[in-house]
Amino acid sequence: MNKFITLEKSVQGASHKSKTPPVVCQDKCMVRKIDDETYILAVADGHGSERCRFSDIGAELAVRTFCEMMEEVLENCEKTSNGDRDTFIRKIRTYDDGRIIKTIHKIWKKRIEKSFNVIKHEHDDLKDIDVVDTELYGTTLIGIVMAKDFVYCIQIGDGDIAYVDSFGVKQVIEADKFLGTETYSLSNEKPWENVITFFQRRKIDESAPYLFILTTDGFSKSFLDDEQYHVT
């Protein structure tokens, strides 16, 4: 049986450390174990600008919402598969990607509204505002469901999902490249219009180790070029 090992870490970026006052760490991550052969992982990168002053909270809520949503999807597909693995995987494969991200966005908005109704009283310029501006919580989102025999990925905004095996490094999703700090965001009015998804059924090979890496954009940008990133 394949044994998954997961590692997770959030690191404050150098540019955020150098500011006065320093910008709080915007990178958030979460790992949720479903069973020994199925994991849900997510990373998110709050935008960290002045207009997105609560984006670290937005990122935290984004990874939590993704993991909870995908666990529910897995449970629903399992219940209607009558114990047949092929049927289960087919249901995951044909699940409506738009429905998934729309539901994630809806739940995420409700959670940031709840956050805003508490936190706004700490800010004189916000305490009289009744409707939250979602940009205040703007964040990217990358998530993956990793099982012994399939992988499902979803991405909004920049960042990287890389796959590594004995043949080298491959980008699982080629996300849109932006100039400067521009990127798509979960805070957009219709983020499902810019979501990228990937599904692949895997052949089970007990002897061949492999690795999936989910990172926010700061990791790959810390290298001189893609070649150096792949070598590392």
Side-chain angles (χ1 to χ4, degrees):
M1 180 181 71
N2 284 313
K3 181 180 180 181
F4 290 138
I5 299 173
T6 62
L7 301 172
E8 56 181 303
K9 182 70 174 179
S10 295
V11 179
Q12 185 182 23
S15 63
H16 287 170
K17 284 184 178 180
S18 65
K19 292 185 177 180
T20 305
V23 178
V24 298
C25 183
Q26 299 292 314
D27 289 355
K28 305 297 179 180
C29 56
M30 181 171 288
V31 175
R32 179 163 296 199
K33 179 181 178 180
I34 304 303
D35 55 48
D36 288 340
E37 298 177 336
T38 311
Y39 282 75
I40 303 172
L41 307 92
V43 299
D45 183 8
H47 301 326
S49 66
E50 291 185 10
R51 283 192 55 80
C52 306
R53 68 174 92 172
F54 309 132
S55 55
D56 59 314
I57 300 173
E60 181 70 35
L61 294 175
V63 295
R64 178 155 61 91
T65 302
F66 174 83
C67 290
E68 292 174 355
M69 176 63 191
M70 291 313 303
E71 183 173 9
E72 183 177 325
V73 169
L74 293 175
E75 289 176 354
N76 290 340
C77 292
E78 183 71 33
K79 289 177 182 178
T80 57
S81 298
N82 298 318
D84 183 73
R85 188 67 182 180
D86 288 336
T87 301
F88 171 73
I89 293 176
R90 186 168 62 252
K91 286 181 176 292
I92 297 291
R93 175 67 183 88
T94 58
Y95 211 92
D96 186 347
D97 295 331
R99 178 183 171 189
I100 289 176
I101 192 58
K102 285 178 181 178
T103 305
I104 289 173
H105 185 243
K106 181 179 180 179
I107 296 172
W108 179 79
K109 281 186 65 177
K110 287 183 178 179
R111 287 175 170 172
I112 67 169
E113 287 169 359
K114 184 177 180 179
S115 167
F116 182 74
N117 286 333
V118 174
I119 205 170
K120 70 178 185 179
H121 299 291
E122 302 172 11
H123 303 267
D124 291 338
D125 61 326
L126 299 176
K127 61 183 179 181
D128 295 325
I129 297 177
D130 295 323
V131 180
V132 60
D133 178 358
T134 57
E135 190 176 1
L136 287 167
Y137 291 81
T139 180
T140 64
L141 174 63
I142 300 176
I144 182 172
V145 179
M146 186 172 62
K148 64 177 182 179
D149 46 9
F150 76 89
V151 60
Y152 173 79
C153 307
I154 191 168
Q155 180 163 349
I156 298 174
D158 54 24
D160 298 279
I161 307 176
Y163 172 75
V164 185
D165 61 14
S166 58
F167 296 101
V169 182
K170 295 180 181 178
Q171 294 296 117
V172 176
I173 290 179
E174 290 293 339
D176 293 307
K177 301 299 182 181
F178 298 87
L179 294 175
T181 58
E182 292 298 317
T183 187
Y184 293 126
S185 175
L186 189 60
S187 66
N188 293 154
E189 184 177 356
K190 298 179 180 180
W192 50 88
E193 293 183 350
N194 304 115
V195 68
I196 306 173
T197 61
F198 173 85
F199 181 94
Q200 185 177 63
R201 187 158 187 173
R202 294 182 47 80
K203 294 181 179 179
I204 302 174
D205 184 347
E206 300 287 350
S207 64
Y210 61 91
L211 171 71
F212 281 99
I213 306 174
L214 281 68
T215 58
T216 56
D217 68 314
F219 184 73
S220 61
K221 287 180 178 177
S222 67
F223 296 91
L224 293 174
D225 50 40
D226 288 345
E227 182 179 354
Q228 291 298 314
Y229 167 67
H230 289 167
V231 168
T232 301

